[in-house]
């Protein structure tokens, strides 16, 4: 497996984790910001799930139990998008919550096992690990902030066209 693939996979997962938490714990849902941040989150999650099929170090080149989680994630994301388009908000909420909890579980597994890439990186290069964590958090904040700006513009344009 190439290091760049693992870095891209972990970076997308790292950004998706706080974005998903923001979506789940934010009081207001269904507005333009929720939709925009949600689209970014789904895109990141699709990359994380699909890229995982090329990462097979755990099982000596074969698929592992983690790949089952990737299949479940792909199904849950599709279900979440399908249900929200059908107006089934509780189905959407359940699918997306389940996907985020799966991501959280994968993150815990990635940092809890000492010989995995993240703990090894944190131990061998603590400054680099802190810089990477800061970059992931800043990127997540930028997505949320830009989502708010773009959503406010979209809401304002809708309000202006409704008055016209």
């Amino acid at each position: 497996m190439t290091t760049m693939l693992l870095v891209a996979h972990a970076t997308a997962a790292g950004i998706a984790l706080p974005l998903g938490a923001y979506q789940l714990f934010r009081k207001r849902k269904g507005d333009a910001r929720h939709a925009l941040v949600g689209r970014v989150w789904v895109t990141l999650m699709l990359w994380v799930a699909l890229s995982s099929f090329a990462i097979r170090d755990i099982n000596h080149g074969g698929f592992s139990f983690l790949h089952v989680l990737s299949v479940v994630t792909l199904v849950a994301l599709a279900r979440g998008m399908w249900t929200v388009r059908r107006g089934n908000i509780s189905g959407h909420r359940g699918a997306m919550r389940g996907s985020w909890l799966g991501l959280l579980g994968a993150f815990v597994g990635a940092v809890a096992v000492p010989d995995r890439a993240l703990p090894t990186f944190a131990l061998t290069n603590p400054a680099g690990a802190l810089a990477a964590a800061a970059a992931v958090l800043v990127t997540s904040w930028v997505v949320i902030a830009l989502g708010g700006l773009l959503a406010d513009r979209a809401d304002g344009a809708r309000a202006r066209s409704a008055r016209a």
Side-chain angles (χ1 to χ4, degrees), residues 7-163:
V7 168
H9 174 84
T11 300
I15 295 168
L17 196 61
L19 287 183
Y22 172 80
Q23 291 289 80
L24 289 175
F25 297 112
R26 184 173 177 247
K27 297 275 188 231
R28 187 171 180 205
K29 295 191 177 38
D31 59 353
R33 179 184 289 209
H34 180 82
L36 191 87
V37 173
R39 285 184 178 103
V40 172
W41 182 80
V42 166
T43 302
L44 290 167
M45 290 295 289
L46 286 171
W47 167 254
V48 170
L50 292 172
S51 65
S52 75
F53 293 110
I55 302 171
R56 301 187 197 167
D57 289 355
I58 292 176
N59 201 19
H60 309 292
F63 292 112
S64 71
F65 67 93
L66 290 174
H67 294 100
V68 173
L69 179 61
S70 295
V71 171
V72 170
T73 298
L74 291 171
V75 170
L77 291 172
R79 181 176 182 266
M81 296 309 297
W82 184 76
T83 55
V84 78
R85 291 187 186 274
R86 302 281 183 280
N88 179 354
I89 301 305
S90 67
H92 172 73
R93 185 182 307 118
M96 296 311 190
R97 184 180 294 148
S99 294
W100 185 78
L101 288 172
L103 177 64
L104 180 62
F107 173 76
V108 169
V111 299
V113 178
D115 62 341
R116 303 276 315 266
L118 286 177
T120 301
F121 177 56
L123 289 174
T124 59
N125 188 351
L130 283 173
V136 161
L137 291 174
V138 167
T139 302
S140 300
W141 178 83
V142 167
V143 168
I144 292 167
L146 285 176
L149 291 173
L150 294 172
D152 291 346
R153 292 181 84 193
D155 290 343
R158 260 188 244 114
R160 283 189 298 279
S161 68
R163 287 189 299 251

